Amino acid sequence: QIQLQQSGPGLMKPSQTLSLTCAISGDSVSSDSGAWNWIRQSPSRGLEWLGRTYYRSERSEWFNDYAASVRSRITITPDTSKNQFSLQLNSVTPEDTAVYYCARDLSDGYKFYGFDNWGQGTLVTVSS
Amino acid sequence: SYVLTQSPSVSVAPGQTARIPCGGNNIGSKSVHWYQQRPGQAPMLVVYDVNSRPSGIPARFSGSNSGDMATLTIHRVEAGDEADYFCQVWDNTHDHWVFGGGTKLTVL
């Protein structure tokens, strides 16, 4: 059974860097059968996909995709030694206040089939 | 960016059939996924790739997709189905996931 456990601070000040980690159990961050995503949810923006990281062994390569809305501020990094992946979002503003989720995107190595496992969510509040 | 449009709310009596639409330009050419979200919980995948169900999801949940509309159908609705439902597709023009705004299903 796959479990995703999120950790990271819930209260931040404007201009700081948001850092969240998602620890994976029951699967591997470097598995060909998944992609590892960050999503956030707020009343004003709804569900908003932020980005993902995934590995493809046939190419021995990591891939990243990011949403255009945050592309200049975001980095998603895998950590194979700890079997986890992390989100960094720079220069946060109150507009970044949201519940942040990590999630696995099930894949057959070519196609993606939706987010079948989610973390518990972390409420991040940006306020001075 | 690709836009998915969902009605804010749908109401249905217990035992009846709920149909939750999700509109998008030529969405019939895309693989659509659906999520259920109860208050205070993370979303849960209930239908993927238009009409496949993850293990543990009852056969009462099904999906369809044609033209500019995808639909999540819930047969024999139960009180426990009351939740928000979101559709999702991959925007292959901009290489990112897109979610609909969500539909609140109320069981009368």
Side-chain angles (χ1 to χ4, degrees):
Chain A
Q1 182 180 351
I2 296 165
Q3 290 192 330
L4 303 178
Q5 182 66 41
Q6 298 178 218
S7 59
L11 183 60
M12 308 190 63
K13 295 188 183 303
S15 80
Q16 290 183 329
T17 295
L18 184 161
S19 294
L20 296 174
T21 297
C22 184
I24 304 163
S25 57
D27 197 356
S28 169
V29 70
S30 54
S31 166
D32 278 310
S33 62
W36 306 96
N37 296 258
W38 287 99
I39 305 104
R40 67 183 178 185
Q41 186 174 29
S42 64
S44 59
R45 303 167 79 104
L47 278 170
E48 181 184 14
W49 176 78
L50 299 176
R52 68 182 181 183
T53 189
Y54 60 99
Y55 183 76
R56 290 298 175 258
S57 59
E58 66 178 12
R59 297 180 62 173
S60 299
E61 188 174 351
W62 286 93
F63 296 87
N64 284 92
D65 296 303
Y66 297 127
S69 60
V70 294
R71 186 169 292 135
S72 64
R73 302 191 288 134
I74 190 173
T75 305
I76 296 176
T77 307
D79 184 340
T80 56
S81 66
K82 296 181 179 179
N83 201 32
Q84 64 187 29
F85 63 108
S86 300
L87 166 71
Q88 278 201 320
L89 188 66
N90 301 328
S91 305
V92 297
T93 72
E95 294 278 301
D96 294 310
T97 294
V99 176
Y100 286 73
Y101 294 100
C102 60
R104 184 184 80 158
D105 189 356
L106 186 61
S107 173
D108 59 8
Y110 301 97
K111 196 174 168 184
F112 296 92
Y113 294 100
F115 302 157
D116 66 337
N117 283 273
W118 293 68
Q120 79 273 24
T122 301
L123 174 59
V124 176
T125 302
V126 182
S127 175
S128 55
Chain B
S1 188
Y2 193 81
V3 176
L4 293 174
T5 302
Q6 295 188 250
S7 305
S9 63
V10 167
S11 299
V12 64
Q16 299 303 303
T17 298
R19 292 179 177 84
I20 299 173
C22 173
N25 184 35
N26 196 27
I27 195 173
S29 66
K30 296 183 178 296
S31 178
V32 182
H33 315 306
W34 290 91
Y35 298 87
Q36 176 193 73
Q37 186 179 31
R38 297 189 175 102
Q41 297 184 13
M44 178 177 67
L45 185 67
V46 292
V47 168
Y48 68 93
D49 203 13
V50 180
N51 194 24
S52 295
R53 285 174 288 105
S55 61
I57 301 301
R60 301 186 297 107
F61 288 80
S62 63
S64 61
N65 191 16
S66 178
D68 291 336
M69 193 69 71
T71 303
L72 174 69
T73 301
I74 310 172
H75 295 282
R76 299 180 298 283
V77 166
E78 303 172 356
D81 298 331
E82 188 164 282
D84 293 326
Y85 290 85
F86 298 89
C87 54
Q88 178 197 30
V89 300
W90 179 255
D91 177 353
N92 51 18
T93 299
H94 299 94
D95 280 346
H96 66 185
W97 284 110
V98 177
F99 288 97
T103 296
K104 180 175 180 56
L105 175 66
T106 299
V107 181
L108 301 171

